[in-house]
């Protein structure tokens, strides 16, 4: 059964239609990546499904009782509340169930038998199922684990949300999503503001939700490759479903395009043949047949003809050959160190770059990657060390927030000023590649959003590249197709490239070296320059981190064994009972019934796990094993409650 169905969905903003006749279904366990050009309606579709905005027409049907968790691009958090309050608010529905369970337990205690008892017991069983499904027995452990995994400290818990950084707010939303135990998880660009370590963690976490359905908008192709089981391709207000991850989608999309290209070519031949017949016989003995063919042809063109598919042959091809190459030695960095107040960022960085090298700069959030680019560009003075550029070096620096644009120009004028020899059509083609089409090209720079200005800067850079290009998170405002176009263009670039990015696919495509800032490696210098792809570096980094952790674990074990044992007077152990409130409210007879039920459930589950058919199915076996452990834990609590009741009788 589908957890979500969408039928004939339409949405427009003013005169602009965004979605029309969109229909699709989502099954439990499906992880669907939603892709398409910027402005095609991806975020609008997610907001409609999440109930954030109203539909114009059509239907959105969610399975009854299904819990939905929505992680938006712009965090929807109360700035006045603390980080702790916002995270724990995700469990309000669980606390509500627990409070109702306590009320029903009190009713059971007041009515030990009869119709009211039976009705209360039925309600209690239902609430207990909901409570268990929401992970209610493990709330405190889950909250602590999520807070730790997302890198928050105990000292952060009292910080008002309004004082958190963009990355921290994104992590708060992810924490809430993990705690909500949702049946449908909606994620809009969840990888924004996450460093590569956190990206890997998020991928693993989402894969653990094997039964939840997911809708994910992301421009991170490796993320979609790892997580998604299906792809929804949105363009022109329509939606096409593809099976498999992003790589499978790319192959299927190209096959589909080639099929459509053949159909279009056959259509062209058919139309030419029909038009030739009409021309030859429109005035002769066969004029009646010619008029009939003309009528049918006009109807065919209007109702049945297919449009020519777009594809690689229609893309703007950019050749980034620099006019004036630099000298052979491009950059020399010696003893470079920087930090703020008492917080060091990187220390004693030293390397040399010859002409034509392509360096990806990676590291955890806050380690100083953008600061390093600013120092290389001469915008920030280092605390220690020197940066020396070689002979004939010219630099362009692409930054997200501070663009070098003439605000009095239109988009067309700004691009035309960059490459004066380009004709009007070439400028329009380039503008369209960066999602500026139609009248948008004549819009003043002063009226553009931050993301639009960033795209104009990227287009200018590709029109007239310097012989050294510095780029800080260049893919943040680009859709997947534009990312691929920029990658293709940079592969033709014959200058020197230094890029800060968390887009692993982009770095693999454009860089042949990695400069990694590694503050976690206390045994090393805190940075490394390696001739590896980004993917190879990440694999080697994970292996080194594992080795460091293992070495530390063995050292702690050795220290514990070497520690002298000091005899001490034994003191009575004081334990605090962890028996849930609802069990305390049950009578001895009710507890005995519950114990009998759990003992039977444990026996049945053990018998099921002994079945060879179950034992061969790892997924089913894991579920039965989890149920077995849960029943044992519940039996232990019931037994403790029964013992307390008997002791006080």
């Amino acid at each position: 059964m589908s957890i979500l169905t969408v039928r004939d969905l339409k949405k427009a903003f003013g005169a602009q239609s965004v979605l029309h006749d969109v229909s699709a279904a989502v099954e439990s366990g499906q992880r669907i990546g939603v892709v398409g050009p910027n402005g095609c309606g991806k975020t609008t579709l997610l907001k409609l499904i999440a109930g954030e905005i109203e539909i114009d027409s059509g239907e959105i049907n969610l399975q009854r009782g299904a819990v939905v968790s929505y992680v938006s691009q712009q965090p929807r958090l109360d700035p006045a509340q603390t980080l702790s309050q916002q995270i724990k608010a995700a469990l309000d529905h669980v606390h509500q169930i627990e409070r109702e369970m306590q009320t029903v337990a009190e009713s059971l205690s007041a009515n030990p038998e009869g119709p009211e008892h039976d009705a209360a017991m039925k309600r209690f069983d239902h609430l207990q199922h909901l409570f268990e499904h929401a992970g209610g027995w493990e709330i405190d452990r889950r909250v602590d684990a999520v807070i730790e995994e997302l890198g928050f400290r105990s000292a952060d818990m009292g910080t008002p949300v309004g004082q958190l950084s963009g990355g921290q707010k994104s992590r708060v939303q992810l924490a809430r999503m993990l705690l909500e135990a949702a049946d449908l998880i909606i994620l809009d660009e969840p990888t924004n503001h996450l460093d590569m370590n956190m990206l890997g963690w998020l991928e693993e976490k989402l894969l653990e939700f094997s039964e939840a359905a997911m809708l994910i908008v992301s421009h991170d192709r490796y993320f979609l490759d790892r997580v998604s089981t299906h792809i929804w391709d949105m363009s022109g207000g329509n939606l096409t479903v593809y099976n498999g991850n992003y790589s499978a989608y790319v192959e299927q999309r190209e096959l589909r395009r080639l099929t459509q290209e053949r159909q279009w070519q056959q259509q062209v031949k058919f139309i030419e043949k029909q038009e030739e017949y009409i021309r030859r016989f429109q005035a002769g003995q066969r004029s009646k047949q010619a008029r009939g063919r003309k009528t049918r042809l006009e109807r065919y063109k209007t109702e049945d003809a297919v449009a020519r598919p777009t594809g690689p042959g229609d893309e703007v091809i950019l050749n980034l050959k620099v006019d004036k190459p630099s000298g052979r030695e491009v950059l020399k960095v010696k003893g470079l160190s920087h930090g703020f107040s008492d917080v060091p960022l990187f220390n004693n960085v030293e390397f040399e770059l010859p002409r034509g090298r392509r360096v990806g700069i990676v590291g955890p959030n806050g380690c100083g990657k953008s600061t390093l680019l600013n120092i290389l560009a001469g915008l920030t003075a280092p605390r220690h060390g020197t940066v020396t550029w070689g002979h004939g070096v010219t630099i362009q620096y692409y930054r997200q927030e501070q663009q070098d644009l003439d605000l009095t120009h239109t988009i067309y004028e700004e691009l035309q000023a960059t490459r004066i020899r380009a004709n009007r059509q070439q400028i329009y083609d380039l503008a369209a590649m960066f999602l500026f089409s139609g009248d948008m090209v004549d819009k003043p720079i002063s009226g553009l959003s931050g993301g639009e200005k960033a795209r104009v800067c990227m287009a200018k850079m590709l029109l007239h590249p310097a012989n050294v290009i510095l780029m800080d998170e260049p893919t943040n405002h680009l859709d997947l197709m534009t990312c691929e176009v920029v990658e293709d263009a940079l592969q033709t670039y014959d200058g020197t490239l230094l890029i800060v990015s968390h887009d692993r696919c982009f770095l693999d495509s454009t860089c042949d070296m990695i400069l990694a800032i590694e503050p976690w490696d206390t045994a090393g210098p805190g940075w490394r320059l390696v001739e590896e792809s980004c993917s190879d570096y990440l694999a080697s980094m994970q292996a080194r981190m594992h080795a460091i952790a293992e070495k530390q674990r063995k050292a702690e074990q050795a220290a514990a064994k070497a520690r002298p044992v000091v005899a001490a007077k034994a003191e009575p152990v004081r334990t605090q009972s962890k028996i849930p409130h609802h069990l305390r409210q049950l009578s001895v007879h009710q507890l005995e019934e519950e114990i009998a039920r759990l003992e039977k459930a444990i026996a049945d589950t053990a018998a099921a796990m002994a079945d060879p058919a179950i034992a061969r199915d790892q997924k089913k076996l894991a579920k039965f094993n989890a149920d077995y452990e849960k029943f044992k834990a519940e039996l232990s609590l019931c037994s403790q409650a029964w013992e307390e009741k008997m002791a006080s009788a």
Side-chain angles (χ1 to χ4, degrees), residues 293-338:
R293 287 202 183 192
K294 184 176 182 180
T295 300
R296 290 193 295 274
L297 181 60
E298 293 301 325
R299 187 184 305 121
Y300 173 81
K301 289 180 178 180
T302 303
E303 300 176 1
D304 300 322
V306 297
R308 183 177 185 179
T310 58
D314 301 308
E315 293 173 357
V316 177
I317 305 300
L318 293 168
N319 187 344
L320 269 63
K321 184 174 179 63
V322 299
D323 294 334
K324 296 180 179 180
S326 66
R328 187 178 181 281
E329 300 300 326
V330 171
L331 175 62
K332 185 174 183 178
V333 174
K334 189 172 180 61
L336 200 64
S337 302
H338 199 71

Side-chain angles (χ1 to χ4, degrees), residues 3 49-51 62-63 65-70 180-186:
I3 193 169
I49 293 172
L62 188 65
Q63 189 180 86
V67 177
V68 179
S69 180
Y70 175 42
E180 283 170 340
D183 303 289
L184 175 62
I185 298 172
I186 302 174

Side-chain angles (χ1 to χ4, degrees), residues 4-17:
L4 171 72
T5 56
V6 175
R7 293 192 183 93
D8 302 324
L9 197 63
K10 295 183 180 180
K11 183 64 182 178
F13 296 99
Q16 183 181 3
S17 175

